[in-house]
Amino acid sequence: MADKTEKLLSVLKLQPVVPVLIIDDAATAVPLARALVAGGLKAIEITLRTPAALDAIRLVANEVEGAVAGAGTILNAAQFDQAVEAGSQFIVSPGTTQELLDAASASSVPLLPGAATASEVMALREEGYQVLKFFPAEQAGGASYLKALSSPLAGTLFCPTGGISLANARDYLSLPNVICVGGSWVAPKELVAKGDWAGITKLAAEAAGLKG
């Protein structure tokens, strides 16, 4: 477990913001990922919310130099295995089930499991997890809630995702228990639709420059 924790930390420490992408057309995956990498965002989470997701992960993993492709919205063991087979180097889930934990323990690819309450965090700590996704961040209580967890649950690091934007990202990144944040604002649908990759690189560079 320690090895997988270190592997996950090495990915999440690459940048302050991990792009969370919903890709409708796999043909946009490579230019989009290249634009994000050019702006300094190498770790990229592609969510399994569309039929194109697995193909998009495969393309990014195989064709985008410097990119670290990950899969998000993983809900069960079958999706976990499919995402790993497609080339995912890290797996992200909105919550956790025993089935998902079992799949993760059998794999060398690290899991960033989702938690929203102190009890969920404690249960995952018992399973050996030190790095968690806090989701949905804004709806579950925001930065002030996460700050309140930092003392009683010291030693646990979070990647908050959900409702985070350029406007509030620093509120999270300034917390001692936050390693990075996840956000979709760096790849707006309208820019992807227009193929405005330079615009996305600019947003990525802005996000990459965020500090706590």
Side-chain angles (χ1 to χ4, degrees):
M1 191 66 181
D3 288 350
K4 280 191 272 192
T5 299
E6 284 307 310
K7 196 182 289 186
L8 183 59
L9 284 172
S10 71
V11 171
L12 300 181
K13 285 178 179 176
L14 288 172
Q15 63 219 37
V17 180
V18 176
V20 179
L21 309 180
I22 298 173
I23 295 180
D24 294 309
D25 180 0
T28 65
V30 168
L32 173 55
R34 284 181 177 147
L36 291 167
V37 171
L41 304 183
K42 296 179 178 180
I44 298 167
E45 177 188 334
I46 298 170
T47 61
L48 259 66
R49 300 185 197 182
T50 68
L54 289 171
D55 285 338
I57 292 167
R58 195 171 284 111
L59 287 165
V60 171
N62 291 334
E63 297 184 23
V64 183
E65 188 175 350
V68 180
T73 321
I74 298 298
L75 305 179
N76 53 52
Q79 289 181 337
F80 189 107
D81 294 340
Q82 288 171 335
V84 170
E85 189 274 329
S88 299
Q89 294 184 53
F90 63 102
I91 301 291
V92 186
S93 62
T96 329
T97 65
Q98 192 57 52
E99 179 193 353
L100 200 53
L101 292 175
D102 290 344
S105 68
S107 174
S108 62
V109 177
L111 171 67
L112 178 66
T117 67
S119 294
E120 290 170 354
V121 174
M122 289 167 64
L124 284 164
R125 281 166 61 116
E126 287 184 2
E127 296 281 347
Y129 286 89
Q130 299 171 35
V131 188
L132 310 178
K133 169 177 173 165
F134 175 53
F135 177 83
E138 281 292 284
Q139 296 83 350
S144 59
Y145 179 96
L146 205 49
K147 184 179 182 180
L149 293 182
S150 63
S151 182
L153 297 173
T156 302
L157 291 172
F158 296 91
C159 172
T161 304
I164 297 178
S165 66
L166 187 63
N168 62 7
R170 279 194 177 90
D171 296 340
Y172 289 94
L173 291 168
S174 65
L175 299 178
N177 56 345
V178 169
I179 187 169
C180 63
V181 300
S184 58
W185 85 87
V186 293
K189 280 196 169 185
E190 59 271 19
L191 294 191
V192 175
K194 288 193 296 186
D196 185 357
W197 310 124
I200 287 172
T201 294
K202 185 178 178 184
L203 289 173
E206 195 175 31
L210 284 173
K211 299 291 177 232

